[in-house]
Amino acid sequence: ICDDGLDNNCVYPSPLCYTHKHNLCNGVPDCTDKSDEADCGNLMIESCIRKLGFRHGLTHRIPLSFVNDGVEDCVDGLDEKQGIWPVCTYPSFDRIVTDNSSCEDVYICNNGQPPGFVLFGELCDMVESCTNENAVCTAAQGRPTVLTRTVHVHGVFHVHKCLPGLQDLVRNICHKTRFPQVNILGAETNQLELPWKQVSCRHVYGESYVFLACTGRCRDAACPVASPLNYSSCPLEFQKKTYSLVDNDYLTLVQPYHQHFRILNYFSCANHRCIPYEKVCDLVNDCGDGSDEKDCNNSFVCNRNSTNFVPEFIPWSAVCDGRIDCMDLSDECNEWCNRQVITGLLLKLSCFVIGSLATLFNLFIIKKNAMTIKFRREAPLSLLNKLLVVLIGVGDLLVGSYLLAIAIVDQNFGSDFCPKKQAWQVSTYCKVLGVISTIGSQLSLFSMTILSLVRVFGIRRGLSGKVYLNSKNFSCICIIVMLLITSSVLLAVVPIWEYFEDNFVGSAYISGPPLFKGLPDKDTVATTALQYHGRTRLSAESLSWKRIEDLITSMFSYKYGGGANITKVSFYGDDPVCLFKYFVTSRDPQTTFTWCVLCVNFTAFTVISFAYIAINIVSRRTMGSERSNAGTQDCMGAVKRRNKRLQRKISLIIATDFLCWMPFIIISFLHSVEIIDATEWYGIFSIVILPINSVINPILYDDYLVKGAENVFRIFSKRAGTFSVSQENLRSTSKKVDTEV
C-alpha cells in the first residue's frame, strides 16, 4: 500500500502477537499479552508523530531501534537525520545511544558489514547477535554434555536404565507404561519402558527426565510439564495443526505417524514457544525465558539473583568441584563449599604452630651460631660448618615466615575469600610468598646436602686443627655460600620470569566482559581467540601467550575504561596457598621443570642419607678404637654415650628426610601419571609434612636447643623433687604430732 513499504514493517514482539512496529512503545497495549509495551527501556528523549498514526496527531518518544535504521518512521523524518544523536565512538564505528552517559565498551563483531557490536550484558545470551557469537561463547565457556534423548526401539521409548542388556547388568526391574495417562480420541499415547520403582533423577536430563518425573518415577521431583498442549499452543512452530479431543474435556495437538496419530512430544514455554521434550531440563535455556528449566531439580541455577545476566544451569556434579562454572561464582562461593585459603581447623592450627616454632627456633639458632663465628681463629671446615648451619636456619626461617604469612592471609580473608580467590591468585603478594617459600626450602635442602658432605670429610680430618683460615680457603667458602644462595634464588625466580611464561603459565584471569569463567587455561583462551578470528586451522599449542593476548584484546573496545584485562596466573598462583607446583600432569606446561626439581631434591636426599650412613659407620669404628685405648671405665662410658647420641641423631636426620620427601615424591609421580588425583592432599603436604622439617632441623643440626630443653627439664625436675620432699617431711611431721597427741 505504502510507496516506501512501511506497511510491511511488522514484527513479533511475542509468539502470540504480530503487529506493526509503530505500535511498539506507544503507551497503548495492542497485543493481548501486552508484549508490545514490555521492552521499552531504550527510548530517545526526542518525540515525533509516527507515520502509522499521523491522523491522530499524537507524538511518541522515538525508540532507539528506529534511529538511522534506513526507514523513515517519523512524519518529519526526524529519526533518520544524521549528526543530531548522542553517539559512543569506537575505532571502526559509532554507536547511537539514548544519552552520552550510557557509553560503555563492547564486544566487536568480527567480519561485520557494517561493523556490529554486542553489549557486555547481552554477550553469551544464546542469541546470535554476531556471525559467530555463540560459537565463541561455547569455546570460552563450554557446554555441559548430557544425554537428553531416550532410545526409540520398535515404538517404545527406553530410558537408558531400561535398555536391553544394561537392564540386566545393573539389575533394574522395568516395565511398560504410557504417557500421558489420558484418553486422546483417535491418537496413540507414548509407550515407555521405565523402572518399576522411584529412582533418583538428579543426573537425568531431557526426555528421560520428563518421562520419569511425569509418571511419578522420580524421587523429590515434580513433572516439569505443567499443562499439556492445547489448541492455542505453539503458534509459531505449527502453523497447520491437527487437533484431537482429550477425555471429552479439551483439545490437544497431535501429529501424523505411520497412518496413525500420536500426541506431540512438545513442551509449551511460558512465552508460548514450543520445544521438544529432549530440550526440557537439559541445562540449556532453550525457551529464552528459563521456563523449560524452572521446575527441574537436576540443575544448579547460576545468576539466580543477578539482573545483568540470564540464568545459567549446571549439573550438580559441577558444584563445589573446584572449577568455576557460574559467571557469578555461585557454584563455588556458597554455604556448601566453604572455600578458604586454608581449609579445615586442624590445618589452620598446624600452619600457625609450625610457622611460629620454625620462626622462633631458627632465629635462635641463627643468632647463636652467628655470634660464635670468629673468622680469624676458625679452621676452614669449622667455619664452613657454622655458615652452613646458619644457611639452614635462614632457609627454615623463610619457610616459617611463609607459614605465618599465609596463616595471617587466611585469617584476614576468612569466609569472604571465595569471591576474591581469583584476584588473590594473580596478585603480587601471592607471587612473593611463593618465591619466599621456594627459596627457603631449597636453600635449606641444598645447605643440608653440602653440610653432610662437609661432615663426612671433617669426621676424618677433624673440624678443628692446626690449619687456620687464609684468603684461599675463605674465597672457597664464599663461593660455596654464594652458589647455594644463587641456585636457590634462581629456582624460585625463573618460573615467574616473563621471558619463560610460555613454559610456566597455564591459565589466566580475564576480567571485564562476561566471556570467560574462573581461570581458563591456555588451550581454552587460545581456542576462543582462534574461533573469533576464524583461524580454526591453527593449533592452540602453537600460539604464545603474547600472541593470544593480542588476539583476545582485539575482540573488545577499550574506549570507556572497559575491555578485557588479562592477568596471567603465575607458577605459584595455581593454588591459594601460593606454593611451588609439585603436583603436575602432562597437560601442565611446567611439568618438565617440576620433575627436574623433584629429581634434584631426591638426589640431595640420597646424598644426605648416604653421607650420614657413612658417618655412622665411621663413628662405630671410632668407638671400637677408643674403647681399646680407653684407660678407665668412665671414659669408655662417655665414649659409648657420645656415639649413641650421634647414631640416634643420624637416624633421626635420615628418618625425617625420608618421611617428608619420599611419600611426597611418590604421590607427585602417581598424580603426574594420573593414577590418582592428589589435588586435595596438597594442603596437607605443603603446610604440615614438608615444613615440619623447618622445626626439626634446628634441633637435629644444633645441640643448643636440646641442651636448653634438658636444662629446663632438669630445673623443673629439681623443683618437683624439692616439692615432693617437702610434702613428705610435712606428712612425717604430721604423723609425729598425731602420735604424740
Side-chain angles (χ1 to χ4, degrees):
I1 298 174
C2 302
D3 294 337
D4 57 1
L6 183 63
D7 54 316
N8 294 322
N9 285 336
C10 295
V11 294
Y12 277 102
S14 76
L16 295 180
C17 182
Y18 186 64
T19 186
H20 196 275
K21 62 181 290 191
H22 286 185
N23 288 331
L24 302 177
C25 303
N26 62 356
V28 179
D30 296 284
C31 299
T32 55
D33 58 359
K34 301 180 181 181
S35 57
D36 57 313
E37 303 296 321
D39 189 14
C40 298
N42 292 324
L43 296 176
M44 310 300 291
I45 299 175
E46 293 78 2
S47 301
C48 74
I49 300 175
R50 301 179 185 179
K51 286 186 175 182
L52 187 64
F54 74 95
R55 291 182 180 178
H56 303 288
L58 299 176
T59 61
H60 302 287
R61 291 177 63 182
I62 304 173
L64 179 61
S65 59
F66 287 14
V67 178
N68 290 351
D69 63 346
V71 178
E72 287 190 359
D73 300 286
C74 297
V75 173
D76 57 1
L78 177 63
D79 58 307
E80 295 303 312
K81 287 186 177 180
Q82 303 292 326
I84 65 171
W85 311 105
V87 296
C88 297
T89 304
Y90 300 97
S92 57
F93 63 93
D94 293 336
R95 178 169 71 95
I96 299 175
V97 292
T98 56
D99 59 82
N100 289 324
S101 63
S102 60
C103 288
E104 59 180 296
D105 285 302
V106 295
Y107 171 88
I108 301 173
C109 297
N110 192 27
N111 298 328
Q113 297 295 333
F117 63 89
V118 181
L119 298 176
F120 285 175
E122 300 172 357
L123 186 61
C124 299
D125 60 354
M126 302 297 293
V127 178
E128 193 79 272
S129 303
C130 289
T131 306
N132 61 345
E133 177 193 353
N134 286 341
V136 171
C137 292
T138 301
Q141 301 177 2
R143 292 284 185 268
T145 303
V146 294
L147 294 172
T148 61
R149 303 192 65 177
T150 56
V151 179
H152 199 199
V153 181
H154 302 302
V156 179
F157 294 91
H158 294 256
V159 298
H160 289 83
K161 292 183 178 181
C162 295
L163 284 175
L166 185 61
Q167 174 183 342
D168 300 331
L169 182 65
V170 296
R171 297 181 181 179
N172 282 321
I173 301 176
C174 303
H175 65 79
K176 290 184 177 63
T177 186
R178 65 190 183 98
F179 175 79
Q181 296 176 341
V182 291
N183 295 315
I184 302 175
L185 185 63
E188 297 181 6
T189 55
N190 297 317
Q191 293 294 316
L192 311 177
E193 184 76 11
L194 302 177
W196 69 278
K197 62 179 181 179
Q198 287 189 329
V199 296
S200 173
C201 295
R202 202 174 178 86
H203 305 290
V204 180
Y205 309 93
E207 282 182 332
S208 296
Y209 186 92
V210 172
F211 291 146
L212 288 171
C214 294
T215 55
R217 299 302 199 280
C218 284
R219 293 194 295 265
D220 303 323
C223 177
V225 183
S227 58
L229 298 177
N230 56 46
Y231 68 95
S232 63
S233 299
C234 313
L236 295 181
E237 287 78 7
F238 301 103
Q239 300 292 335
K240 296 180 180 180
K241 304 171 184 177
T242 303
Y243 300 105
S244 184
L245 191 63
V246 181
D247 286 339
N248 295 321
D249 188 17
Y250 62 90
L251 291 178
T252 189
L253 303 181
V254 293
Q255 62 180 344
Y257 181 79
H258 294 301
Q259 299 179 349
H260 299 283
F261 285 93
R262 284 190 178 277
I263 187 168
L264 282 176
N265 293 334
Y266 279 84
F267 174 84
S268 180
C269 306
N271 58 10
H272 302 288
R273 294 176 181 171
C274 286
I275 59 173
Y277 282 169
E278 66 184 89
K279 294 183 179 294
V280 179
C281 300
D282 67 338
L283 308 178
V284 180
N285 181 12
D286 299 285
C287 286
D289 59 2
S291 57
D292 56 315
E293 305 293 322
K294 179 182 176 182
D295 297 320
C296 310
N297 77 337
N298 62 350
S299 62
F300 177 86
V301 184
C302 309
N303 305 326
R304 187 186 297 271
N305 301 318
S306 176
T307 57
N308 297 326
F309 305 108
V310 296
E312 296 178 87
F313 305 92
I314 62 172
W316 281 106
S317 58
V319 178
C320 299
D321 64 346
R323 182 179 181 274
I324 299 295
D325 296 282
C326 294
M327 195 62 68
D328 63 348
L329 313 180
S330 57
D331 61 313
E332 300 297 323
C333 302
N334 52 56
E335 63 273 18
W336 307 303
C337 305
N338 190 27
R339 299 289 181 193
Q340 298 186 27
V341 177
I342 304 173
T343 305
L345 180 60
L346 184 60
L347 276 182
K348 294 175 186 287
L349 291 175
S350 300
C351 182
F352 181 77
V353 171
I354 295 174
S356 301
L357 292 178
T359 302
L360 292 175
F361 285 2
N362 287 288
L363 277 174
F364 184 80
I365 291 301
I366 292 170
K367 180 181 178 182
K368 181 256 178 182
N369 281 277
M371 291 178 63
T372 59
I373 295 176
K374 298 176 181 178
F375 289 98
R376 295 183 179 180
R377 300 180 182 179
E378 293 281 0
L381 288 180
S382 176
L383 175 61
L384 182 57
N385 183 83
K386 291 181 179 180
L387 288 175
L388 289 172
V389 171
V390 170
L391 287 179
I392 294 172
V394 170
D396 292 336
L397 174 63
L398 291 176
V399 174
S401 301
Y402 156 79
L403 290 175
L404 282 179
I406 206 70
I408 294 171
V409 169
D410 174 67
Q411 184 65 28
N412 287 340
F413 278 119
S415 58
D416 297 329
F417 171 68
C418 188
K420 306 170 184 176
K421 177 184 175 184
Q422 299 165 90
W424 163 252
Q425 289 181 238
V426 298
S427 67
T428 304
Y429 299 106
C430 181
K431 196 181 300 184
V432 170
L433 286 178
V435 170
I436 289 174
S437 65
T438 303
I439 292 176
S441 60
Q442 295 303 132
L443 181 60
S444 177
L445 181 61
F446 291 164
S447 300
M448 285 191 293
T449 306
I450 301 301
L451 181 60
S452 64
L453 297 176
V454 169
R455 288 186 171 179
V456 168
F457 183 72
I459 200 171
R460 293 180 176 273
R461 300 187 57 178
L463 290 177
S464 60
K466 296 181 180 180
V467 179
Y468 292 103
L469 188 67
N470 55 41
S471 59
K472 182 179 179 181
N473 293 332
F474 184 74
S475 299
C476 292
I477 292 173
C478 289
I479 291 173
I480 292 174
V481 171
M482 291 304 299
L483 283 175
L484 290 174
I485 296 174
T486 303
S487 59
S488 302
V489 171
L490 281 177
L491 280 179
V493 173
V494 164
I496 61 173
W497 197 349
E498 187 176 357
Y499 182 79
F500 299 107
E501 66 180 9
D502 290 320
N503 302 106
F504 294 100
V505 176
S507 56
Y509 175 46
I510 305 176
S511 59
L515 181 60
F516 295 97
K517 299 175 181 177
L519 302 175
D521 57 28
K522 181 181 179 181
D523 184 66
T524 299
V525 180
T527 303
T528 303
L530 294 175
Q531 181 67 52
Y532 173 84
H533 292 280
R535 302 177 182 178
T536 54
R537 293 185 179 181
L538 291 176
S539 63
E541 295 80 6
S542 63
L543 298 180
S544 65
W545 270 111
K546 184 67 174 67
R547 181 59 177 152
I548 293 172
E549 191 171 358
D550 293 339
L551 292 174
I552 291 294
T553 53
S554 65
M555 297 166 57
F556 308 94
S557 66
Y558 290 84
K559 183 70 179 293
Y560 301 99
N565 299 312
I566 303 176
T567 307
K568 292 180 280 291
V569 180
S570 72
F571 178 72
Y572 300 104
D574 283 323
D575 194 271
V577 293
C578 307
L579 275 176
F580 192 102
K581 188 175 182 180
Y582 284 110
F583 290 173
V584 293
T585 63
S586 58
R587 296 182 297 275
D588 294 311
Q590 57 274 84
T591 301
T592 303
F593 177 80
T594 296
W595 273 106
C596 287
V597 174
L598 281 173
C599 290
V600 169
N601 291 349
F602 177 75
T603 303
F605 158 71
T606 305
V607 170
I608 293 171
S609 300
F610 280 108
Y612 281 107
I613 290 173
I615 292 173
N616 194 17
I617 294 172
V618 172
S619 66
R620 287 179 179 274
R621 292 177 182 174
T622 305
M623 184 174 64
S625 61
E626 289 182 347
R627 186 180 298 171
S628 61
N629 297 330
T632 63
Q633 188 68 25
D634 292 339
C635 184
M636 290 180 61
V639 170
K640 188 175 181 180
R641 287 192 297 273
R642 184 195 67 189
N643 283 280
K644 282 187 175 180
R645 282 199 304 271
L646 178 61
Q647 292 166 13
R648 188 163 54 246
K649 182 181 291 188
I650 291 170
S651 300
L652 285 173
I653 290 173
I654 297 174
T656 54
D657 287 340
F658 181 86
L659 292 176
C660 286
W661 278 104
M662 284 307 296
F664 185 73
I665 293 174
I666 292 172
I667 289 178
S668 296
F669 172 76
L670 295 177
H671 180 86
S672 179
V673 297
E674 301 185 36
I675 295 178
I676 62 172
D677 183 4
T679 306
E680 296 296 327
W681 305 346
Y682 199 72
I684 299 175
F685 278 99
S686 60
I687 293 175
V688 179
I689 296 179
L690 290 182
I692 196 69
N693 262 347
S694 299
V695 178
I696 299 174
N697 287 340
I699 301 173
L700 295 180
Y701 286 91
D702 197 292
D703 293 330
Y704 205 80
L705 283 174
V706 177
K707 291 178 180 178
E710 290 177 350
N711 290 333
V712 172
F713 179 76
R714 200 174 291 117
I715 292 171
F716 276 102
S717 297
K718 286 182 179 180
R719 289 184 178 179
T722 304
F723 178 75
S724 62
V725 170
S726 300
Q727 291 289 331
E728 186 64 31
N729 291 336
L730 182 62
R731 281 195 295 271
S732 61
T733 303
S734 177
K735 286 181 180 180
K736 186 176 181 181
V737 171
D738 290 340
T739 304
E740 290 176 355
V741 171

